[in-house]
Amino acid sequence: MMKRLIILSISYIFLSPIYAQEKSPEEIFREFKQQQIASYKDFRKEVNNRYTEFMRGKWDWFNSESSIEDMENKVKPMPAPSAPDEKEINELKKAFLEHGKVISIHKKKKAQPMPLSPIEETIQRDEVFQFYAYGTQMKVRIGTSSKYQLNGTTENDVADMWMHLSDKSFNNLIYDCLQLRKEHNLCDWAYLNTLKELSQAYYGENSNEAVVLQTFLFNQSGYKTRIGRSRSNKLYMMIASPNTIYGKAYFKIKDDAFYPLDYKETGLYIFAHEYPGEEGLSLSIDKEQLFDLATSDIHRIESKAADSLHIDIKFNSNLMNFYHSYPQSHINNDEMTKWTIYASTPISESVKKQLYPSLRSKIEGKTETEAANILIGFVQTAFEYQLDEVVWGKDRPFFPEETLFYPFSDCEDRAALFSNLIRDLLGLDTVLLYYPGHLAMAVRFNSKVEGKTLLIDGKEYTYCEPTCSSYAPVGWCPTQLASTKPVIIKY
């Protein structure tokens, strides 16, 4: 595409002097811009035509790979550490702990995938179709008269529907979907499932037409997708992701793992051709998901530390349902990275407005260490400790807001919540510390802090234990962990 535009630009530059005497620079630029837009449109149309022709070829049979399970389910969890007595707290002295490998997944915030070329709205009178995703009312422009019925599920049948959807009359639908992604801050996973709700509301749940529509919309939005057919002639959409998703069978196609949605087969005939510019689905959540408000009952959170407080909070049930359905995964083929998604997901503005004023009033005028001790005391004593295996039957990490929402939590949940509070209220850098069966964290303070310290890439981080039977200050480390080298997870 870039080569085509460069050729077009050079041609226009050489020809423009001929018309320079008759047209102003503004007119010349406007015409050039219009030609670029037209070139974009033609390019996308050509790509879809070519892609559809490939789709008509024979699809190859692939056997699915067995799902990858979370290895943490096989690790015996460490019980909550017993809190230190007053003497141990008063005698805290700075001492360095050794650590194991350092995993760094710092990355520049990457924009979400985008269409191959800009999707231009068309001037036409479309019907408005209404549907719901995550309890949120959404609307797109697509008429009931535009429904396409598959004659079957052969290569030609699917290609015919894809060609039908590629017509410019569906531009407004694609445009509206992308606008929904923008307006609601939808992460890739939320966007994928929003398109699923749209497609099934339009064509009917579990219909083959809904599968093709969802695949088409996700593909045209810039994502890496494939489509497959079972021996029983059921169609499946597949998505590629840099994340290794737990508990889902997948297909290895070239260098990518493709995860089929709602899959209950042992293999598929797959159209495995690449689409230009496609990108994998990320499972990071960089922004608050803006779903319609469905107010929960009041949750009273009471801490039992010296700086005790109680706070009544209402949550958005739609957001809680979204978190509950989120798949667990890791990235960079490293299982230690699974917790970074939870620890880096922001708390919603609604909950911050209810929680943070009370916390800020407690830490106002305090030193960094004093403020951090108030926050860690809140996290240690405001929630009841319980293992995931007892409550959920398996490992179930919480997003920070879920730790505030549910009555029970364990070490990984509290580490994610405490790291958010430290970053939001004190502006300090944090890292996660992984021990077999336990997750703690460390904070990089600007001032001197007594207690156990880790030297990470030349910078001092103070050990913090958000999970304890009662209050334990920053710098205190359980005796059973002092001689164990934790894996450092920077994010």
Side-chain angles (χ1 to χ4, degrees):
M1 180 175 66
M2 184 59 67
K3 183 177 180 181
R4 289 167 53 87
L5 290 177
I6 291 173
I7 293 172
L8 175 63
S9 303
I10 294 172
S11 300
Y12 197 89
I13 290 169
F14 277 110
L15 291 173
S16 60
I18 301 173
Y19 304 99
Q21 295 178 347
E22 301 177 6
K23 298 185 180 182
S24 67
E26 291 79 10
E27 289 175 317
I28 293 173
F29 177 76
R30 187 164 53 251
E31 286 187 6
F32 175 52
K33 185 176 179 180
Q34 289 173 347
Q35 287 190 35
Q36 283 186 307
I37 292 172
S39 178
Y40 270 125
K41 291 179 180 178
D42 291 343
F43 180 69
R44 178 170 165 264
K45 181 179 179 180
E46 289 174 12
V47 168
N48 277 323
N49 288 343
R50 187 65 175 158
Y51 191 69
T52 305
E53 289 307 308
F54 282 124
M55 192 178 286
R56 296 185 188 280
K58 187 177 182 296
W59 297 1
D60 294 324
W61 176 262
F62 288 79
N63 290 312
S64 55
E65 305 286 339
S66 299
S67 62
I68 295 173
E69 301 305 319
D70 181 6
M71 295 302 295
E72 197 63 20
N73 288 322
K74 299 180 180 180
V75 178
K76 185 178 180 179
M78 187 185 91
S82 297
D85 56 28
E86 189 172 345
K87 180 183 177 183
E88 189 176 353
I89 292 175
N90 292 334
E91 293 179 352
L92 273 181
K93 298 295 181 182
K94 188 167 186 175
F96 285 90
L97 297 173
E98 294 185 8
H99 63 78
K101 68 177 180 178
V102 177
I103 299 169
S104 180
I105 59 169
H106 281 298
K107 59 183 185 301
K108 294 180 180 178
K109 282 191 176 181
K110 185 180 178 182
Q112 289 179 289
M114 292 299 292
L116 183 62
S117 61
I119 305 296
E120 297 288 325
E121 290 184 276
T122 59
I123 302 174
Q124 58 191 47
R125 301 184 65 179
D126 288 324
E127 294 179 45
V128 174
F129 183 77
Q130 178 179 296
F131 68 102
Y132 287 84
Y134 299 109
T136 302
Q137 184 184 79
M138 300 185 181
K139 298 177 181 179
V140 294
R141 286 170 288 178
I142 183 173
T144 54
S145 60
S146 300
K147 282 188 177 179
Y148 183 95
Q149 297 299 319
L150 287 165
N151 292 320
T153 58
T154 68
E155 288 84 346
N156 279 326
D157 291 326
V158 177
D160 287 343
M161 183 172 179
W162 196 279
M163 181 61 76
H164 171 78
L165 294 171
S166 299
D167 187 80
K168 67 179 182 180
S169 61
F170 288 93
N171 276 16
N172 288 344
L173 171 61
I174 303 170
Y175 180 90
D176 290 346
C177 289
L178 291 166
Q179 284 299 111
L180 289 174
R181 186 179 73 171
K182 180 179 179 181
E183 291 168 8
H184 295 280
N185 282 349
L186 300 179
C187 65
D188 290 351
W189 183 258
Y191 185 56
L192 171 71
N193 286 285
T194 294
L195 296 184
K196 177 181 178 180
E197 294 298 327
L198 160 62
S199 301
Q200 293 197 349
Y202 186 73
Y203 272 116
E205 189 173 351
N206 299 322
S207 67
N208 285 327
E209 287 86 357
V211 173
V212 177
L213 178 59
Q214 184 188 8
T215 307
F216 174 81
L217 291 174
F218 209 55
N219 166 276
Q220 297 296 294
S221 298
Y223 293 90
K224 189 176 290 189
T225 65
R226 299 292 182 265
I227 193 164
R229 180 183 68 247
S230 71
R231 287 195 171 103
S232 59
N233 293 320
K234 178 173 175 52
L235 296 178
Y236 289 90
M237 175 185 179
M238 290 171 284
I239 50 114
S241 174
N243 295 69
T244 299
I245 303 175
Y246 299 155
K248 289 184 177 292
Y250 65 96
F251 291 89
K252 194 70 176 178
I253 303 176
K254 292 188 176 179
D255 296 327
D256 292 306
F258 282 84
Y259 296 87
L261 305 182
D262 306 317
Y263 179 70
K264 297 178 182 179
E265 310 279 353
T266 57
L268 294 173
Y269 295 99
I270 297 175
F271 172 56
H273 202 275
E274 298 176 6
Y275 192 91
E278 60 184 11
E279 296 183 44
L281 171 146
S282 169
L283 283 173
S284 295
I285 308 176
D286 297 325
K287 299 177 182 177
E288 176 188 349
Q289 305 299 286
L290 302 179
F291 303 132
D292 287 351
L293 181 62
T295 307
S296 72
D297 294 334
I298 292 175
H299 291 236
R300 170 155 288 197
I301 300 175
E302 300 182 73
S303 71
K304 305 172 187 65
D307 291 278
S308 63
L309 53 83
H310 64 268
I311 307 167
D312 291 334
I313 302 179
K314 293 181 179 180
F315 297 86
N316 186 349
S317 296
N318 289 331
L319 183 59
M320 293 301 103
N321 291 335
F322 164 75
Y323 285 145
H324 183 65
S325 65
Y326 215 75
Q328 293 186 46
S329 69
H330 65 252
I331 59 175
N332 300 338
N333 293 318
D334 195 322
E335 294 169 0
M336 296 295 101
T337 63
K338 65 171 283 188
W339 296 283
T340 61
I341 290 174
Y342 302 92
S344 60
T345 295
I347 296 171
S348 70
E349 291 302 317
S350 171
V351 168
K352 284 181 181 179
K353 288 177 182 178
Q354 298 173 79
L355 175 65
Y356 282 11
S358 295
L359 294 178
R360 285 196 175 99
S361 69
K362 291 288 184 179
I363 65 176
E364 186 177 4
K366 307 292 186 182
T367 65
E368 278 184 350
T369 308
E370 292 170 337
N373 280 330
I374 291 171
L375 296 178
I376 202 170
F378 168 74
V379 174
Q380 290 163 339
T381 65
F383 313 100
E384 186 174 345
Y385 179 82
Q386 189 56 272
L387 295 173
D388 286 340
E389 287 72 16
V390 176
V391 180
W392 303 98
K394 61 179 181 179
D395 188 51
R396 165 70 162 86
F398 281 165
F399 290 95
E401 200 153 329
E402 289 184 295
T403 304
L404 297 167
F405 178 78
Y406 290 107
F408 304 106
S409 58
D410 64 7
C411 60
E412 59 198 9
D413 311 324
R414 299 183 187 198
L417 173 60
F418 186 54
S419 65
N420 261 261
L421 298 183
I422 289 293
R423 293 197 306 270
D424 288 350
L425 297 173
L426 300 182
L428 301 176
D429 184 34
T430 65
V431 296
L432 300 176
L433 308 178
Y434 174 78
Y435 299 87
H438 187 66
L439 195 70
M441 55 168 295
V443 178
R444 185 186 174 207
F445 290 96
N446 294 313
S447 54
K448 181 181 178 182
V449 182
E450 300 295 344
K452 302 300 184 184
T453 304
L454 299 105
L455 192 63
I456 305 171
D457 295 337
K459 299 173 183 177
E460 293 185 5
Y461 286 77
T462 301
Y463 184 98
C464 297
E465 184 52 75
T467 307
C468 216
S469 60
S470 61
Y471 171 69
V474 300
W476 178 81
C477 175
T479 303
Q480 63 266 44
L481 296 179
S483 60
T484 304
K485 297 179 181 180
V487 174
I488 309 298
I489 308 170
K490 301 178 69 174
Y491 60 99

